Amino acid sequence: MLTLHTPVSPSAPSSETPATASSSGSAAPATTGREWWRHSVIYQVYPRSFASSGGPLGDLRGITERLPHLRDLGVDALWLSPFYVSPQKDGGYDVSDYRDVDPRFGTLADAEQMISRAHELGLRVIVDLVPNHTSDEHEWFRAALAAGPGSPERERYWFRDSEEVPNNWRSIFGGSAWTRVCDRPDAPGSPWEDDQQWYLNLFDSSQPDLNWNNPEVHQEFVSILRFWLDRGVDGFRVDVAHGLVKDPDLPDWGGEVHMVDGVEESDPADGESPAPPRAPMFDQDGVHEIYREWHEVLAQYEGDRALVAEAWVTPESQLAKYVRPDEMHQAFNFAFLASEWDAAQLREVIATSYAANDAVEAPTTWVMSNHDVIRHASRLGMDFTGKQQNGIGAEDPQPDNVLGLRRAKAATLLTLGLAGSVYLYQGEELGLPEHSTLPDALREDPAFFRTGGEEKGRDGCRVPLPWEASSPGFGFSPDGETWLPQPASWARLAVDAQTGEDDSTLEFYREAIRLRREWDLGIAELAWDADFDGRDVVAFVSSAPAEAAGNPAGADADSPAPQRPTVRVITTFGEAVHVPEGWQVAISSSPVTEGVIGTDTTAWLTRS
Ligand code: NOJ
């Protein structure tokens, strides 16, 4: 059988790090090979929409009250999107105070309470860090506007003098990436009303990009890291991790970058010269120095604190640079998310992901949905199943949500069968589809406004969760208020409607996560399943790594641990396949009858 992945084995600190694994020539940190971030299931909480203790917007107390749901689901950790002080122009990814909680979400004491309750329940907590840009209401940006051109305050951002727009860079949300100070809505009548300088905003004009060439910016973020580490967080999800350093010449660039998959479309202005291979605003070599600095900071704290990169970088070998042993610990695998529902494509992305990450001794992560993309229960029921348009509008072709959910469950069981770390997005355990008919008048995503409605935006995957089928607002908030409307059909998807129902999506997720943990699938040796060579399937075999056979992660080395079974994971696409003789179905995403695994189904098999 062809080996697909071999887990990293324990190592002592060494100055003889293999060339592929070393990023700076410094000694690689020791690994036990079993750190939690190598194999965990991590659940993303989008605070605005998880649960509210009062009012239409979710909040930290609401999250704390509902943490038992995550314990019962069996996940290891939660990652929370930002809950810091913010004008909420981009759902909290526009931070105006990194060391405090927005009053809409609660208080700092509520955050501390949430962290300690999560820890009591055995859940680790990852918080979001937004270092590429601040809000324009951050005190640094207010000071920069007030201090004027040439001031040290402006050196913390990318201000430029220029008669015309300084270059042709586009905002990820549409339109130019530059805003002239005098064109700001707050300019009239202000001291900067005639100010002709421009500032860079790769996202909304309310999200000015920070200048990471300025040492003050480095110091500030190390201090912010320490602030939250001191409050017990287990890690940080780093927003736009590939964007912090820009080519200082700010050259024109003909390509286009899309959120999440980072696809660059070459559209050179003169029609002749090709676009440069790498965007001058993304994935510059200088970013790695920042993550080495942060790695050192985290290493000073007990308990395996971790950094996870949100970096839209391809190919996987380039992305793997972010998770070299002295940089970050994980990076989201968006190539997997962006893949079509296609056996050959998925096999390819699984193989290249392991090859790239294994070379630097990092875990591979697996993710299908998050707060920026169409939920996979809908995406996989569309004509094109890869990462695509930004949002679905009522007038757009609608997804087949029955087909989508069937495939989504198959995709999830495939994902949970893979070694490495798995990210789940809130609500996917309920089989929630995208809200694909939201009225435009209710939309809040800046991408909707900056593209003149051409992109519907991400609100459809951010609808408040249904907890109780018979309560107003499906129990999202005590008074039933929700900041976005929930489809009436979600009553049958509510947590209480699915709990204890054998064939519900929620019980399916619970069982799959339980088996993954019991069998230690997160740390496994993987090989392609040769019996299915040439078939329209993804099929691999998961077995205990040689050194760990019979000793699942966290098991007491002195007590005899049950031998974990060899598990065959099979996902079907166009054709049905038979369960091989001598094997039985331990769990499947759709019923397997008379030994036939139907199309669009994943099954985990053990020996009968
Ligand atoms: C990526 C985040 O996931 C997204 O929600 C946000 O809009 C951008 N970064 C800008 O911070």
Side-chain angles (χ1 to χ4, degrees):
M1 273 195 286
L2 195 59
T3 302
L4 172 60
H5 162 71
T6 310
V8 63
S9 40
S11 74
S14 157
S15 53
E16 288 175 67
T17 315
T20 45
S22 169
S23 50
S24 62
S26 62
T31 176
T32 64
R34 297 209 156 246
E35 292 89 350
W36 66 277
W37 42 267
R38 291 191 180 274
H39 56 80
S40 284
V41 178
I42 301 168
Y43 181 100
Q44 180 189 356
V45 168
Y46 191 67
R48 294 169 65 92
S49 304
F50 186 72
S52 161
S53 67
L57 207 62
D59 58 18
L60 289 173
R61 285 182 183 211
I63 294 169
T64 305
E65 281 165 20
R66 295 289 189 182
L67 283 176
H69 172 67
L70 303 190
R71 175 202 54 201
D72 297 346
L73 188 57
V75 301
D76 304 284
L78 60 150
W79 147 41
L80 297 104
S81 285
F83 48 76
Y84 317 112
V85 183
S86 158
Q88 299 288 311
K89 299 262 178 60
D90 182 22
Y93 284 94
D94 48 323
V95 181
S96 52
D97 184 349
Y98 291 83
R99 296 182 185 79
D100 205 355
V101 172
D102 194 284
R104 299 171 182 89
F105 296 129
T107 62
L108 201 49
D110 292 333
E112 288 169 344
Q113 169 70 18
M114 181 271 297
I115 295 165
S116 83
R117 180 73 184 128
H119 286 166
E120 274 167 30
L121 295 175
L123 298 163
R124 304 206 188 231
V125 178
I126 297 176
V127 295
D128 222 300
L129 187 74
V130 188
N132 180 68
H133 45 264
T134 68
S135 158
D136 62 351
E137 292 186 16
H138 189 282
E139 62 172 3
W140 274 9
F141 194 75
R142 303 314 299 173
L145 287 182
S151 62
E153 286 84 350
R154 290 209 173 182
E155 280 305 305
R156 294 166 175 154
Y157 296 90
W158 289 92
F159 281 90
R160 285 294 178 273
D161 289 312
S162 178
E163 257 173 49
E164 300 292 322
V165 62
N167 67 23
N168 69 354
W169 295 3
R170 312 283 301 161
S171 152
I172 309 295
F173 290 155
S176 168
W178 294 92
T179 303
R180 207 161 43 176
V181 174
C182 59
D183 292 338
R184 286 179 51 82
D186 59 2
S190 78
W192 52 87
E193 71 179 336
D194 296 321
D195 189 331
Q196 301 292 311
Q197 277 205 318
W198 302 78
Y199 64 88
L200 178 66
N201 54 270
L202 289 182
F203 294 90
D204 191 48
S205 54
S206 64
Q207 295 165 295
D209 279 55
L210 284 162
N211 171 14
W212 276 85
N213 297 329
N214 185 333
E216 251 191 287
V217 176
H218 286 252
Q219 286 152 19
E220 175 66 359
F221 275 86
V222 166
S223 154
I224 293 166
L225 286 174
R226 290 193 188 283
F227 181 87
W228 289 103
L229 289 166
D230 290 340
R231 274 156 190 79
V233 304
D234 300 282
F236 300 89
R237 174 268 191 193
V238 180
D239 191 62
V240 204
H242 57 315
L244 277 50
V245 174
K246 278 86 181 169
D247 180 333
D249 295 336
L250 304 176
D252 270 356
W253 183 67
E256 221 182 275
V257 179
H258 299 279
M259 189 166 296
V260 177
D261 53 350
V263 172
E264 297 166 13
E265 281 164 15
S266 206
D267 180 27
D270 62 8
E272 277 172 19
S273 52
R278 266 158 71 187
M281 70 294 270
F282 285 129
D283 196 29
Q284 301 291 298
D285 292 343
V287 292
H288 297 290
E289 210 44 66
I290 300 171
Y291 302 129
R292 286 183 202 120
E293 187 184 354
W294 292 5
H295 186 110
E296 296 280 307
V297 174
L298 267 67
Q300 290 160 13
Y301 287 78
E302 284 180 348
D304 290 335
R305 318 282 176 118
L307 295 165
V308 51
E310 188 231 15
W312 324 322
V313 171
T314 54
E316 282 96 324
S317 52
Q318 186 66 16
L319 179 63
K321 291 185 176 169
Y322 289 75
V323 287
R324 288 175 288 191
D326 58 353
E327 296 194 33
M328 302 228 202
H329 303 81
Q330 303 180 337
F332 291 120
N333 184 348
F334 291 131
F336 183 70
L337 184 157
S339 173
E340 289 172 59
W341 185 243
D342 176 88
Q345 264 192 44
L346 285 164
R347 281 196 306 262
E348 170 76 16
V349 77
I350 290 169
T352 50
S353 301
Y354 278 129
N357 289 302
D358 288 358
V360 292
E361 303 193 334
T364 298
T365 66
W366 307 102
V367 56
M368 290 300 293
S369 282
N370 66 26
H371 65 294
D372 289 331
V373 298
I374 296 172
R375 283 181 174 278
H376 72 287
S378 292
R379 192 171 74 235
L380 298 181
M382 299 181 75
D383 286 345
F384 177 71
T385 49
K387 153 74 172 66
Q388 46 189 295
Q389 70 202 54
N390 183 8
I392 305 172
E395 302 78 34
D396 292 330
Q398 294 293 304
D400 175 343
N401 285 331
V402 174
L403 177 63
L405 181 58
R406 181 181 174 96
R407 289 176 173 169
K409 289 172 70 178
T412 297
L413 198 58
L414 162 64
T415 304
L416 288 169
L418 288 162
S421 190
V422 174
Y423 277 83
L424 306 177
Y425 176 50
Q426 66 177 36
E428 67 167 88
E429 78 280 19
L430 306 176
L432 292 190
E434 185 83 357
H435 192 328
S436 54
T437 55
L438 267 181
D440 285 353
L442 301 179
R443 295 190 185 277
E444 295 199 5
D445 187 346
F448 174 75
F449 300 104
R450 290 182 66 102
T451 61
E454 199 180 303
E455 291 185 13
K456 291 298 173 188
R458 301 160 291 170
D459 299 298
C461 66
R462 299 174 174 181
V463 173
L465 293 193
W467 294 92
E468 297 153 12
S470 323
S471 304
F474 300 135
F476 173 73
S477 58
D479 44 16
E481 284 182 281
T482 60
W483 70 280
L484 285 172
Q486 302 151 308
S489 59
W490 283 18
R492 64 186 167 77
L493 300 178
V495 174
D496 68 350
Q498 295 199 44
T499 298
E501 296 296 323
D502 282 350
D503 57 357
S504 71
T505 305
L506 177 57
E507 293 299 346
F508 162 73
Y509 265 74
R510 287 178 175 161
E511 180 65 358
I513 294 168
R514 188 187 70 73
L515 288 174
R516 176 183 160 92
R517 181 191 287 261
E518 182 179 322
W519 294 340
D520 206 10
L521 299 187
I523 295 194
E525 188 113 18
L526 302 184
W528 290 120
D529 193 332
D531 283 1
F532 292 94
D533 274 358
R535 304 283 299 272
D536 188 18
V537 299
V538 173
F540 56 90
V541 181
S542 166
S543 31
E547 48 88 19
N551 183 22
D556 180 347
D558 297 331
S559 58
Q563 189 75 31
R564 62 147 285 193
T566 294
V567 180
R568 294 173 84 171
V569 177
I570 302 173
T571 303
T572 61
F573 294 79
E575 56 168 331
V577 304
H578 286 271
V579 175
E581 205 158 312
W583 294 79
Q584 65 185 7
V585 176
I587 184 171
S588 61
S589 59
S590 289
V592 172
T593 36
E594 295 179 9
V596 177
I597 307 171
T599 56
D600 296 325
T601 301
T602 296
W604 291 359
L605 310 179
T606 52
R607 277 186 205 285
S608 45

Coordinates of all heavy atoms in Angstrom, one line a residue, residues 179-188 192-193 195 197-198:
T179 N -7.9 55.0 0.0 CA -8.9 56.0 0.3 C -8.2 57.3 0.6 O -7.1 57.3 1.3 CB -9.6 55.6 1.6 OG1 -10.2 54.3 1.4 CG2 -10.7 56.6 1.9
R180 N -8.7 58.4 0.0 CA -8.1 59.7 0.2 C -8.7 60.3 1.5 O -9.9 60.2 1.7 CB -8.3 60.6 -1.0 CG -7.3 61.7 -1.1 CD -7.2 62.3 -2.5 NE -8.6 62.5 -2.9 CZ -8.9 63.1 -4.1 NH1 -7.9 63.5 -4.8 NH2 -10.1 63.3 -4.4
V181 N -7.8 60.8 2.3 CA -8.3 61.2 3.7 C -9.5 62.2 3.5 O -10.5 62.1 4.2 CB -7.1 61.9 4.5 CG1 -7.6 62.5 5.8 CG2 -6.1 60.8 4.7
C182 N -9.4 63.2 2.6 CA -10.4 64.2 2.4 C -11.7 63.6 1.9 O -12.8 64.3 2.0 CB -9.9 65.3 1.6 SG -9.5 64.8 -0.1
D183 N -11.7 62.4 1.4 CA -12.9 61.7 0.9 C -13.6 60.9 2.0 O -14.7 60.4 1.7 CB -12.6 60.8 -0.3 CG -12.1 61.5 -1.5 OD1 -12.4 62.8 -1.6 OD2 -11.4 60.9 -2.4
R184 N -13.0 60.9 3.2 CA -13.7 60.1 4.2 C -15.0 60.8 4.6 O -15.1 62.1 4.6 CB -12.8 60.1 5.5 CG -11.6 59.1 5.3 CD -10.7 59.1 6.6 NE -11.5 58.9 7.8 CZ -11.9 57.8 8.3 NH1 -11.6 56.7 7.7 NH2 -12.7 57.7 9.4
P185 N -16.0 60.1 5.1 CA -17.2 60.7 5.5 C -17.1 61.6 6.7 O -17.9 62.6 6.8 CB -18.2 59.5 5.8 CG -17.3 58.3 5.8 CD -16.1 58.6 5.1
D186 N -16.0 61.4 7.5 CA -15.9 62.3 8.6 C -15.0 63.5 8.3 O -14.6 64.3 9.2 CB -15.3 61.5 9.9 CG -14.0 60.9 9.6 OD1 -13.4 61.1 8.4 OD2 -13.4 60.2 10.5
A187 N -14.6 63.7 7.0 CA -13.7 64.8 6.7 C -14.3 66.2 6.8 O -13.8 67.1 7.3 CB -13.0 64.5 5.4
P188 N -15.6 66.3 6.2 CA -16.1 67.7 6.1 C -16.2 68.3 7.5 O -16.7 67.7 8.5 CB -17.5 67.4 5.6 CG -17.4 66.2 4.8 CD -16.4 65.3 5.5
W192 N -8.9 67.5 9.0 CA -8.3 66.9 7.8 C -9.2 67.0 6.5 O -9.1 66.2 5.6 CB -8.0 65.4 8.1 CG -9.2 64.6 8.7 CD1 -10.1 63.9 8.0 CD2 -9.4 64.4 10.1 NE1 -11.0 63.3 8.9 CE2 -10.6 63.6 10.1 CE3 -8.8 64.8 11.3 CZ2 -11.2 63.2 11.4 CZ3 -9.4 64.4 12.5 CH2 -10.5 63.6 12.5
E193 N -10.1 68.0 6.5 CA -11.0 68.1 5.4 C -10.3 68.4 4.0 O -10.9 68.0 3.0 CB -12.2 69.0 5.6 CG -11.9 70.5 5.6 CD -13.2 71.3 5.9 OE1 -14.3 70.8 5.6 OE2 -13.1 72.4 6.4
D195 N -7.1 67.3 3.5 CA -5.9 66.4 3.5 C -6.0 65.5 2.3 O -6.9 64.7 2.1 CB -6.0 65.6 4.8 CG -4.7 64.9 5.0 OD1 -4.1 64.5 4.1 OD2 -4.4 64.6 6.2
Q197 N -3.7 63.2 1.4 CA -3.0 61.9 1.5 C -4.0 60.8 1.3 O -5.2 60.9 1.6 CB -2.3 61.8 2.8 CG -0.9 62.5 2.8 CD 0.0 61.9 3.9 OE1 -0.4 61.6 5.0 NE2 1.3 61.8 3.5
W198 N -3.4 59.6 0.9 CA -4.2 58.4 0.7 C -3.7 57.4 1.8 O -2.5 57.4 2.2 CB -3.9 57.8 -0.7 CG -4.2 58.6 -1.9 CD1 -3.4 59.6 -2.4 CD2 -5.3 58.5 -2.7 NE1 -4.0 60.2 -3.5 CE2 -5.2 59.5 -3.7 CE3 -6.4 57.7 -2.8 CZ2 -6.1 59.7 -4.8 CZ3 -7.4 57.8 -3.8 CH2 -7.2 58.8 -4.8

